[in-house]
């Protein structure tokens, strides 16, 4: 049901309040800073803003959260492109392409594309949020443990497509990630597993310290080795000229990718517990699967970057769909949002559209404003971050290391986070030196817990019957898609093996 002009007018006046506009500006700058600092996530940015919202009216409070979360998701791309260190987990999927574009002298193209596509993805997500919130939320509610199991299986299968060269090594890395995901308490019995008597490990392998270690610390170790070898040149050459030069051509070339990434991101964001991180990974994998040049992915190709950038930003708005309509958090950020809504007397649920329609549509307008403000704020953030490229590595590496330590400690409030980061950093460095990709490890950590939990829950509900995994229509569709994907991958692998064997036979 469309809102009346009176409701829209009231909402517009609420958003145009000078206090709200000032909050959007400062929260946007704060979100940019938090996202650009390795180890400081969008969730952390929102959590730090919550105490300030106690003293704000509902609209400024929600404006601070909406703006900071959206800006932080984009800002994670900045250190990814400049240092090969994703600022947030949502930027990890395409960090290799961003960095290699920068090394090739296309830093402006990489970050300019990120900004514009992120803006488009954000606008797409909020459009769907406005028009289809009730419908998509009802669809999300259809998902039981059976559907979530197949969704997790589909996401894990994406590791093979993410791998650019050796699917077998990608599978090994994925197994390592899944093995790490089993650390902690058994999801059904509550029995500790692989904790070695350490209380800190009962909560499992914390994702953020692990990501910081695998990407940031491993890169720092490589940088230190290069310094020891007297290699002092900068990996990323300084670039000049307009930031958005060439971005129009990219958008003109890949409009379908933007639409596909935005759609997929919104749908995944609307699923409770998914969020921008999973949206980026799955969109990148889907992009590579349907690309005409999949061999270029991971080597500085802008196509996958377009899909994933659109997906992770559209997922931010998508995650608000179940939060607003049914009070179910779409991700960790909207879990905090629900608390703020209750605190401000805006109890989430279907009645919120009847009791406070002007407040809800004011929030929608803030989403649009935040997406548009992302362009000038993103431009300013990149301009400010550019001097980082001119800082000598021997100065820059200790600064980044200190930020990593702070980020890892902040996630656990103990030395355990730092130790975990160090261990994962060494593991990531060893694996990459031997040609194993680390991205599938992150994917295994992200989805491993859901995969195991949903499988065990489904087996308990079905009394051990595998047939019930295909009895529900949505579950059956997802299950068939996963099995066909596995069969196709196996078929292509056998074909490739036969082709290599025939080539060796002809050579002999």
């Amino acid at each position: 049901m469309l809102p009346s002009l009176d409701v829209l007018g009231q909402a517009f006046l609420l958003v145009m309040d000078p206090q709200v506009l000032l909050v959007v500006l400062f929260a946007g700058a704060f979100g940019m800073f938090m996202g650009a600092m390795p180890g400081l996530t969008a969730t952390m940015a929102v959590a730090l803003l919550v105490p300030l919202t106690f003293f704000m009216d509902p609209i400024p409070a929600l404006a601070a959260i909406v703006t900071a979360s959206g800006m932080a998701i984009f800002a994670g791309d900045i250190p990814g492109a400049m240092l090969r260190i994703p600022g947030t987990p949502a930027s990890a999927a395409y960090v290799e392409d961003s960095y290699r574009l920068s090394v090739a002298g296309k830093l402006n193209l990489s970050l300019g594309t990120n900004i514009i596509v992120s803006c488009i993805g954000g606008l797409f997500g909020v459009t769907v949020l406005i028009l289809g919130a009730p419908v998509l939320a009802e669809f999300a509610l259809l998902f039981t443990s059976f559907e979530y199991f197949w969704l997790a299986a589909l996401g894990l299968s994406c590791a093979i497509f993410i791998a650019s060269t050796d699917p077998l090594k990608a599978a090994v890395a994925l197994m390592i990630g899944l093995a790490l995901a089993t650390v902690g308490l058994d999801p059904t019995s509550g029995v500790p597993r692989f904790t070695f008597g350490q209380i800190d490990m009962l909560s499992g392998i914390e994702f953020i310290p692990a990501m910081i270690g695998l990407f940031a610390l491993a890169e720092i170790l490589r940088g230190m080795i290069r310094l020891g070898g007297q290699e002092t040149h900068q990996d990323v050459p300084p670039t000049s000229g307009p930031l958005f030069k060439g971005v129009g051509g990219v958008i003109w070339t890949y409009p379908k990718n933007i639409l596909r990434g935005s759609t997929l991101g919104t749908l995944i964001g609307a699923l409770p517990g998914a969020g921008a991180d999973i949206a980026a990974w799955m969109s990148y994998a889907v992009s590579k699967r349907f690309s005409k040049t999949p061999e270029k992915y991971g080597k500085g190709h802008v196509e996958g970057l377009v899909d994933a950038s659109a997906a992770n930003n559209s997922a931010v708005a998508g995650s608000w769909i179940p939060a607003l309509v049914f009070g179910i958090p779409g991700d960790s950020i909207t879990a905090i949002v629900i608390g703020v809504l209750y605190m401000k007397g805006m109890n989430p649920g279907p009645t919120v559209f009847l009791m406070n329609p002007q407040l809800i549509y004011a929030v929608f307008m803030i989403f649009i404003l935040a997406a548009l403000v992302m362009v000038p704020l993103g431009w300013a953030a990149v301009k400010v971050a550019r001097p980082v490229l001119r800082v000598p590595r021997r100065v820059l590496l200790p600064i980044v290391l200190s930020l990593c330590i702070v980020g890892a400690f902040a996630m656990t409030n103990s030395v355990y986070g730092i130790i975990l980061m160090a261990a994962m950093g060494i593991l990531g460095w060893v694996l990459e030196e031997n040609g194993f990709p680390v991205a599938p490890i992150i994917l295994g950590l992200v989805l491993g817990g859901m995969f195991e939990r949903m499988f065990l829950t489904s087996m308990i509900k079905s009394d051990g019957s595998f047939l019930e995994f295909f009895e529900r229509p949505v579950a059956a569709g997802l299950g068939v898609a996963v099995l066909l994907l596995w069969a196709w991958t196996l078929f292509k692998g056998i074909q490739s093996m036969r082709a290599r064997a025939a080539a060796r036979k002809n050579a002999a």
Side-chain angles (χ1 to χ4, degrees), residues 31-42:
M32 283 286 179
F33 170 78
M34 292 293 288
M37 295 295 104
L40 307 182
T41 64

Side-chain angles (χ1 to χ4, degrees), residues 98-413:
S98 294
Y99 181 70
R100 295 209 180 192
L101 278 169
S102 303
V103 169
K106 299 179 181 178
L107 176 66
N108 283 356
L109 181 66
S110 174
L111 290 177
T113 300
N114 281 136
I115 293 173
I116 300 301
V117 173
S118 295
C119 174
I120 295 172
L123 291 173
F124 182 94
V126 72
T127 302
V128 175
L129 175 62
I130 294 169
L131 299 177
V135 176
L136 283 174
E138 287 179 13
F139 176 72
L141 283 182
L142 293 176
F143 274 56
T144 64
S145 59
F146 297 103
E147 285 81 9
Y148 275 112
F149 166 75
W150 288 119
L151 185 67
L154 185 63
L156 290 170
S157 304
C158 292
I160 305 302
F161 298 121
I162 291 171
S164 57
T165 52
D166 195 331
L168 181 60
K169 288 186 175 180
V172 171
L174 178 64
M175 292 300 118
I176 293 173
L178 290 174
L180 292 172
T182 63
V183 174
L185 296 176
D186 184 279
T188 53
S189 66
V191 176
R193 303 180 303 188
F194 312 117
T195 60
F196 306 102
Q198 299 297 315
I199 295 176
D200 288 320
M201 296 185 71
L202 290 174
S203 60
I205 301 295
E206 292 284 347
F207 172 63
I208 299 300
M211 189 206 74
I212 294 171
L214 285 169
F215 283 102
L217 188 58
E219 186 65 26
I220 290 169
L221 289 173
R222 274 188 290 274
M224 291 170 61
I225 292 170
R226 287 197 295 267
L227 285 179
Q230 302 302 313
E231 186 179 339
T232 58
H233 70 275
Q234 293 290 338
D235 291 332
V236 178
T239 53
S240 58
L243 178 63
F244 299 114
K245 184 179 180 180
V247 175
V250 171
I251 294 172
W252 181 263
T253 305
Y254 301 112
K256 292 181 180 178
N257 297 70
I258 297 174
L259 179 61
R260 181 176 60 202
S262 299
T263 305
L264 189 60
T266 306
L267 291 173
I268 293 174
L271 299 175
D277 310 348
I278 296 175
W281 285 106
M282 293 192 70
S283 184
Y284 184 86
V286 169
S287 175
K288 183 176 181 180
R289 168 66 184 84
F290 292 101
S291 173
K292 295 179 180 178
T293 55
E295 69 281 355
K296 294 183 179 180
Y297 281 61
K299 300 176 181 178
H301 191 37
V302 77
E303 186 176 358
L305 186 147
V306 167
D307 274 87
S309 289
N312 60 19
N313 282 271
S314 61
V316 173
S319 64
W320 281 64
I321 294 171
L324 285 177
V325 180
F326 291 99
I328 301 171
D331 57 8
S332 56
I333 293 173
T334 46
I336 299 172
V337 168
I338 287 174
V340 174
L341 287 171
Y342 277 114
M343 183 179 69
K344 298 300 180 183
M346 297 170 61
N347 296 353
T351 58
V352 75
F353 290 88
L354 300 174
M355 303 299 292
N356 299 295
Q358 72 280 5
L359 297 182
I360 292 301
Y361 282 95
V363 171
F364 294 161
M365 290 180 184
I366 288 168
F367 265 106
I368 297 172
L369 181 62
L372 296 175
V373 168
M374 184 185 295
V375 176
L377 280 181
W379 177 86
V382 172
K383 291 291 183 181
V384 171
R386 262 188 184 144
V388 170
L389 297 177
R390 294 192 288 271
V391 176
R393 285 267 169 171
R394 61 177 58 87
V395 176
L396 182 62
L397 291 178
I399 294 174
V400 176
L401 179 60
S402 64
L403 290 171
C404 293
I405 292 172
V406 170
F409 182 85
M411 293 309 300
T412 59
N413 285 322

Side-chain angles (χ1 to χ4, degrees), residues 433-485:
E433 289 298 305
N434 290 278
F436 288 85
V438 297
I441 299 178
I442 295 294
L443 196 60
L445 275 173
V446 170
L447 291 175
M450 180 200 288
F451 182 75
E452 179 188 17
R453 190 169 60 253
M454 295 304 153
F455 176 74
L456 293 175
T457 302
S458 300
M459 290 297 286
I460 291 170
K461 288 198 299 189
S462 66
D463 199 23
S465 172
F466 285 102
L467 292 177
E468 288 200 29
F469 282 78
F470 297 91
E471 287 188 354
R472 295 169 57 84
V474 179
L478 286 171
V480 169
V482 170
L483 294 178
L484 287 175
L485 177 63

